[in-house]
Amino acid sequence: MKLRLAHLYPKLMNIYGDRGNIMCFERRCRGREIEFELDELSIGDAFDPGAYDLVFIGGAQDAEQRRVVDDLRDVKGEALQEYVERDGVLLAVCGGYQLMGAYYRSADGGELPGVGLLDLWTEHPGPDAKRFIGNVVIEWEGETLVGFENHGGRTHLGPRARPLGSVVTGFGNNGDDGGEGAVCRNVYGTYLHGSLLPKNPRFADHLLALALAGENGDVRLAPLDDMVEEQAHAEALRLATRRSIIRR
Ligand code: GLN
């Protein structure tokens, strides 16, 4: 088996170690003797909708989002749409997540059009608004995902998106409705940095299995030794819930 991964704008859209998610995919493939192929696509590079099993885009501040937005829509937008219609798997974090929606209104009031792969929109109330910063725990399919969020934008889901999970501690999409992240088809968006996947190995495997299923049918991933990952998860969970108790 082979996993073909596209990393969008690895230099521009990469904060809080989002690249760690790529390393995690690679490690979890190589540990199972699944071939791993990585393409880094930046501004000006075309996206071939038939060439990948998995796509990743990380987070960034408003300035970097502004730099990639035209390319995302005009150069890659249509091909990404086709990829998603073929049930391609995509993971988007924070600033990248915001750009998967209809639009992101940034802190200065300017509107950045998104690619519309997730039914959602995001508005930043302005430079004086409270930023949503801190450790997050969400409930996802009967277990927990841990991460770190830092965003000013408030994301609201339309009827064709469902939240990835529900907030246990932290702010999530908008600090209001208890939802975190979004899922439409095989497109996953979340505010969780961390980076996300190394501390949530079961979520990483969920995405991997989904991605490999496209070419290989139902895939059963062999278990890996996740002792370090599980310890990191448990520690993040402990810190996040302890802080939330102190805050009250
Ligand atoms: N610029 C966005 C916001 O502040 C996203 C920031 C991020 O990716 N951490 O809402």
Side-chain angles (χ1 to χ4, degrees):
M1 276 193 288
K2 185 199 268 188
L3 183 89
R4 302 161 306 164
L5 172 62
H7 187 184
L8 304 186
Y9 315 111
K11 294 210 174 81
L12 288 166
M13 302 291 287
N14 178 43
I15 45 175
Y16 303 120
D18 284 339
R19 192 186 283 271
N21 294 313
I22 304 289
M23 293 160 80
C24 178
F25 280 133
E26 178 169 11
R27 198 190 77 83
R28 303 191 78 76
C29 283
R30 296 214 193 277
R32 293 161 168 137
E33 292 179 12
I34 298 167
E35 256 184 83
F36 178 83
E37 218 173 74
L38 174 67
D39 273 354
E40 299 193 333
L41 302 181
S42 201
I43 288 177
D45 297 332
F47 177 82
D48 175 353
Y52 302 105
D53 311 299
L54 190 50
V55 175
F56 176 75
I57 179 167
Q61 297 302 329
D62 294 9
E64 284 76 28
Q65 287 174 288
R66 227 170 271 129
R67 285 182 64 190
V68 305
V69 73
D70 287 347
D71 182 85
L72 189 60
R73 196 188 41 178
D74 300 339
V75 178
K76 300 181 178 60
E78 229 170 86
L80 280 167
Q81 191 74 51
E82 190 183 327
Y83 170 78
V84 169
E85 274 157 24
R86 294 179 184 191
D87 288 330
V89 183
L90 186 149
L91 173 64
V93 173
C94 201
Y97 167 43
Q98 295 171 341
L99 296 182
M100 294 300 113
Y103 67 88
Y104 169 48
R105 191 189 299 150
S106 57
D108 65 4
E111 210 160 280
L112 309 183
V115 276
L117 303 180
L118 288 169
D119 184 17
L120 56 85
W121 67 95
T122 304
E123 294 176 352
H124 192 307
D128 299 331
K130 175 187 170 71
R131 284 189 76 79
F132 291 163
I133 306 176
N135 293 321
V136 199
V137 177
I138 68 172
E139 197 187 316
W140 169 74
E141 300 197 353
E143 39 189 285
T144 51
L145 299 183
V146 296
F148 172 77
E149 64 184 329
N150 181 357
H151 55 107
R154 275 69 164 161
T155 296
H156 297 274
L157 271 48
R160 283 175 292 110
R162 59 186 158 89
L164 172 66
S166 51
V167 174
V168 176
T169 179
F171 299 97
N173 282 333
N174 48 54
D176 202 27
D177 65 15
E180 202 296 313
V183 185
C184 287
R185 298 187 76 128
N186 286 337
V187 181
Y188 289 72
T190 177
Y191 275 111
L192 271 56
H193 301 279
S195 51
L196 170 69
L197 299 179
K199 286 185 186 162
N200 298 288
R202 278 181 298 271
F203 184 52
D205 278 357
H206 170 78
L207 296 173
L208 263 187
L210 210 53
L212 291 165
E215 287 283 308
N216 306 283
D218 227 2
V219 172
R220 272 193 156 268
L221 294 172
L224 295 175
D225 176 3
D226 282 331
M227 206 171 82
V228 172
E229 287 79 358
E230 295 297 353
Q231 271 172 3
H233 181 103
E235 182 61 8
L237 192 62
R238 191 185 69 78
L239 283 172
T241 42
R242 188 191 64 175
R243 287 217 182 113
S244 82
I245 290 163
I246 292 167
R247 247 191 244 137
R248 268 185 216 132

